[in-house]
């Protein structure tokens, strides 16, 4: 049985991680940590069992006999907690994004290598049944060469906790690019076979920070809004990534923009087949016979039913700790990810393409 300490008992811990553990037979949450005691009480209630409670994660890691920490705190703490756990011989699983700077993700990599323990970051979208099917098709060569793609997560209005930690650069690392970009850039790059990014360009915009509209945050269930708080991150980012194998990826992320509706998508173009994955479902496209387009494959709909993809990712990590599965994520993929995000912010600041 893998003994888990859940660190950070806010929205994602209660909404996805705790329900996830209920479906993992070989893991048990034995301790929780939050700086707000009421959050720990809520987590305990949701777990339906008594757990040890700590307001200081260091004390928890030092005192409790645990096999892994599950980090669900604001972004700027992910690296600190993961490294502290690894240095104390404890496996670390962190919510996304990996961390908020290239320097810290390299520190995480070093700590993982020195400890010999496992370190994994949430990549829940890989765990959609649809994503697994696409990955198997890519590996089978069904797409031919995937040479370009587009991906994004665009929201009409859905700023998480406006004025709180999500919109404060020092704590979040950025806006929708780091918050939502991690999800869809990862899915695209994963399906493309994890090529290394070599150059990046992008633009970021902040048009809703001073908006009077209290509805800007309504469609996000994450983070606590703070009246007159800080909003020094972007609300929209676009960009272009080139990879060492010549492939390219266009990206677009927004927390607020005047579009029809919120959507997530990964479009990939291969020499034999193309796909549009969106909100958990996908379609496949080829050229049809004689260019009549009658032969377009369609496979949408049956995957849209919600599955606890976060729980599936946690289950994988627990199985990796118990040597039942090989890790589907390496921290080098995290390094590649944070380098891409960091370079897009640098490109937006300088107006130049950034070579990685
Ligand atoms: N994978 C996903 O789909 C997904 C979705 C939402 C959020 N997230 C990620 O999960 C993390 C948490 O997001 P959230 O929406 O739950 O935020 P939240 O603000 O609701 O929860 C964060 C919790 O961490 C606690 N905390 C702050 N400092 C702490 C410390 N030093 N020690 C212990 N606890 C501390 C806060 O009190 C709060 O309860 C973020 O990194 C976010 O990016 C991932």
């Amino acid at each position: 049985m893998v003994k888990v300490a859940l660190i950070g008992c806010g929205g994602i811990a209660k909404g996805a991680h705790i329900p996830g553990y209920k479906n993992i037979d070989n893991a048990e949450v034995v301790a929780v940590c939050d700086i707000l005691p009421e959050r720990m009480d809520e987590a305990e209630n949701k777990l339906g069992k008594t757990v040890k409670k700590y307001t200081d994660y260091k004390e928890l890691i030092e005192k409790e006999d645990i096999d892994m920490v599950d980090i669900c705190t604001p972004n700027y703490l992910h690296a600190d907690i993961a490294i502290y756990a690894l240095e104390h011989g404890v496996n670390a699983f962190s919510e996304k994004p990996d961390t908020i700077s290239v320097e810290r993700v390299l520190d995480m990599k070093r700590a993982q290598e020195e400890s010999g323990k496992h370190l994994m970051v949430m990549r829940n979208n890989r765990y959609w049944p649809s994503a697994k099917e696409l990955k198997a098709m890519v590996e089978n060569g069904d797409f031919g060469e995937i040479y370009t793609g587009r991906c994004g997560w665009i929201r009409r209005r859905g700023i998480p906790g406006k004025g709180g930690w999500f919109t404060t650069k020092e704590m979040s690392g950025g806006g929708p690019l780091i918050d939502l970009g991690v999800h869809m850039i990862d899915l695209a790059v994963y399906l493309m076979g994890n090529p290394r990014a070599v150059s990046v360009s992008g633009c970021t915009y902040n048009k809703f920070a001073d908006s009077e509209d209290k509805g800007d945050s309504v469609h996000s269930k994450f983070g606590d809004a703070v009246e007159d708080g800080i909003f020094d991150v972007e609300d929209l980012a676009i960009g272009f990534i080139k990879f060492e194998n010549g492939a390219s990826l266009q990206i677009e992320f927004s927390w607020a923009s005047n579009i029809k509706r919120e959507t997530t998508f990964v479009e990939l173009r291969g020499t034999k087949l193309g796909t549009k994955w969106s909100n958990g479902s996908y379609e496949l496209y080829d050229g049809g016979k004689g260019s009549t387009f009658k032969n377009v494959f369609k496979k949408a709909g049956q995957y849209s039913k919600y599955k606890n993809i976060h729980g599936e990712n946690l289950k994988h990590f627990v199985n990796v700790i118990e040597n039942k599965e090989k890790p589907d994520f390496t921290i080098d993929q995290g390094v590649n990810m944070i380098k891409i995000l960091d370079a897009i912010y640098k490109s937006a600041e300088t107006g130049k393409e950034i070579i990685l």
Side-chain angles (χ1 to χ4, degrees), residues 7-13 33-36 39 57 72-75 77-78 95-97 122 124 165-166 179 183 222-223 310:
I7 304 184
C9 301
I12 198 65
C33 171
D34 202 293
I35 48 171
L36 301 175
R39 293 269 162 95
Y57 71 83
C72 296
T73 60
N75 304 348
L77 290 164
H78 294 178
E95 257 302 345
K96 45 58 60 173
M122 181 68 90
N124 46 292
W165 74 261
F166 269 104
D179 181 38
H183 287 290
F222 298 104
H310 304 76

